[in-house]
Amino acid sequence: MTRHDWTKEEILAIYNKPLMSLLYEAATVHRQHHDPNKVQVSTLLSIKTGGCPEDCGYCPQAARYHTDIEGNDLMSVSQVKAQALRAKASGSSRVCMGAAWRNVKDGEEFDNVLEMVRTINKLDMEVCCTLGMVTENQAKRLAEAGLYAYNHNLDSSEEYYKEVISTRGYEDRLETIDNVRKTNVTVCSGGIIGMGESIDDRAGMLVALATLNPQPESVPINALVPVEGTPLEEQQKVSIWEMIRMVATTRIVMPETQVRLSAGRTDMSKEGQAMCFFAGANSIFAGDKLLTTPNPDVNEDMELFKTLGLEPQKPFEKKSQPKTVEAEQSLYKPLGEKPKWSRPGHKIERNEEAKTKAKLAK
């Protein structure tokens, strides 16, 4: 039975168990709710790269930092379709489209994204989007187009969030998830470890996710990939043992969720990834890039699957395929909304330093 009343103390007690006991419990829970030999494979596609107005300390796409990321305008529907077909041929069941936006704005670009959703859903693939904050009406328009999942990560605990991002509030993340929950679209929400947070903060993030009712259908666990030019460029990478503990704890407190082994896999050995799968991870991103950071080659992943006896999960195994409503039949029209998403306005010293450094580099 899925619980929604987890406390931080309970989650810390699980996280800090002797590793063998933790692994055994997580693997047992995993087998009760999932086929342990199936892993959902997604391809992450950056449909609009760079130029983001936010100040997320981990992100090379923030316009205020000086990184080597090449920005690009929104891709065309035909370009996205070609990439989706390539992903499908390589074994992906889902395409996740990411745009470096603070929030969705009604207009031509969002209309194009809706057309991308319709196009990919008609290829019999699950479609996920991560586009920033969305209103209830925008979420309903995405659902009508055939969106399967919406990703909106909490990133960290509410307390530590303020040490990483100053341009938006934690409550905006929760409000967006709530708006998505008013539709039939599934929720994908997780976070990043290795940003300098404490184990308490990791537990705090899991409390925020596990106490949602319903819990997110997908929870990505990312290991920070420090990128030169970002405020977190000097951050020490997390160990594989920390990733294994985080995956196992997530599996135990969110038994029905697909736990996604996300950023940072290029630094993990095959044996380390295998232990994460044993601990309950049953979803990965395939392809050579996760938006802008490196990722294992899909052929490497398929080789590892073969070694471990894993097989890619077919699309719509967990939830039936949504129907696509064409634009001309849509019940939900653009409202031209201008929601007042929060701007906390506090200063984060390392973010300000990276911003100053970027100005000097120009």
Side-chain angles (χ1 to χ4, degrees):
M1 184 177 169
T2 301
R3 284 180 52 189
H4 302 279
D5 60 350
W6 289 97
T7 66
K8 188 191 283 189
E9 290 69 32
E10 287 176 309
I11 291 176
L12 282 170
I14 293 168
Y15 184 98
N16 289 315
K17 279 187 175 191
L19 186 63
M20 294 305 162
S21 300
L22 176 61
L23 281 172
Y24 180 78
E25 184 178 347
T28 303
V29 170
H30 187 50
R31 279 153 178 73
Q32 288 168 351
H33 297 272
H34 305 271
D35 183 336
N37 297 315
K38 281 187 179 177
V39 174
Q40 193 271 322
V41 181
S42 296
T43 292
L44 185 55
L45 183 59
S46 183
I47 58 172
K48 189 270 176 187
T49 307
C52 184
E54 303 280 43
D55 77 335
C56 307
Y58 52 80
C59 187
Q61 298 201 63
R64 65 190 69 203
Y65 308 137
H66 181 68
T67 63
D68 291 330
I69 298 306
E70 280 187 37
N72 68 268
D73 294 332
L74 190 69
M75 293 172 71
S76 68
V77 175
S78 60
Q79 285 174 315
V80 168
K81 183 178 181 180
Q83 296 273 22
L85 286 168
R86 196 172 295 127
K88 186 175 184 179
S90 69
S92 286
S93 62
R94 180 184 294 187
V95 172
C96 299
M97 297 187 288
W101 294 336
R102 169 176 163 80
N103 59 279
V104 170
K105 294 176 182 173
D106 291 342
E108 187 181 346
E109 288 197 321
F110 186 40
D111 291 342
N112 286 337
V113 171
L114 293 171
E115 203 51 47
M116 293 172 194
V117 172
R118 293 185 184 98
T119 300
I120 298 172
N121 191 44
K122 287 173 191 172
L123 297 176
D124 296 325
M125 296 184 78
E126 297 172 8
V127 196
C128 177
C129 281
T130 179
L131 312 169
M133 280 87 78
V134 290
T135 65
E136 182 180 342
N137 187 66
Q138 290 164 344
K140 285 176 176 174
R141 293 181 72 200
L142 285 162
E144 254 196 344
L147 191 70
Y148 185 89
Y150 195 83
N151 167 263
H152 204 60
N153 289 337
L154 293 185
D155 291 331
S156 190
S157 68
E158 185 168 7
E159 294 74 23
Y160 196 70
Y161 191 85
K162 301 180 185 75
E163 304 298 319
V164 180
I165 302 161
S166 73
T167 52
R168 60 171 186 250
Y170 207 71
E171 65 274 12
D172 292 340
R173 317 304 282 173
L174 296 169
E175 187 179 337
T176 288
I177 290 170
D178 190 48
N179 287 337
V180 172
R181 278 288 178 224
K182 292 169 184 171
T183 73
N184 65 348
V185 175
T186 63
V187 168
C188 175
S189 186
I192 306 168
I193 67 170
M195 298 191 292
E197 77 288 340
S198 65
I199 293 173
D200 262 38
D201 288 312
R202 294 175 191 176
M205 181 185 78
L206 291 182
V207 168
L209 292 166
T211 53
L212 292 173
N213 193 0
Q215 292 176 343
E217 285 81 359
S218 173
V219 172
I221 301 297
N222 296 276
L224 177 72
V225 179
V227 177
E228 189 177 349
T230 64
L232 296 175
E233 65 179 352
E234 302 292 339
Q235 203 66 42
Q236 187 174 348
K237 292 180 179 180
V238 294
S239 72
I240 186 62
W241 305 113
E242 292 172 274
M243 281 297 287
I244 292 166
R245 283 189 178 277
M246 194 66 183
V247 166
T249 306
T250 305
R251 168 52 64 225
I252 291 165
V253 301
M254 289 180 270
E256 294 181 37
T257 292
Q258 297 224 234
V259 179
R260 189 185 299 279
L261 193 58
S262 297
R265 284 201 299 125
T266 48
D267 290 318
M268 298 179 200
S269 68
K270 288 181 170 59
E271 294 83 359
Q273 291 181 66
M275 287 191 76
C276 286
F277 291 132
F278 182 74
N282 62 340
S283 183
I284 61 165
F285 281 117
D288 60 353
K289 268 191 179 180
L290 293 189
L291 295 181
T292 58
T293 54
N295 197 50
D297 179 79
V298 67
N299 294 322
E300 283 181 47
D301 285 330
M302 291 307 113
E303 200 176 296
L304 180 59
F305 275 28
K306 189 176 178 184
T307 300
L308 301 178
L310 300 175
E311 59 182 83
Q313 180 182 301
K314 290 184 169 56
F316 313 113
E317 277 196 22
K318 298 288 185 181
K319 183 178 176 288
S320 59
Q321 184 174 8
K323 290 180 181 174
T324 285
V325 176
E326 299 300 338
E328 52 272 17
Q329 271 94 47
S330 175
L331 294 175
Y332 300 98
K333 304 300 178 188
L335 301 177
E337 299 166 281
K338 292 183 180 175
K340 297 218 177 287
W341 300 108
S342 67
R343 290 185 183 273
H346 64 283
K347 301 284 186 190
I348 301 171
E349 192 176 330
R350 61 188 174 190
N351 291 16
E352 292 298 311
E353 285 173 5
K355 183 177 164 186
T356 303
K357 194 172 159 188
K359 282 179 181 173
L360 294 172
K362 285 179 182 174

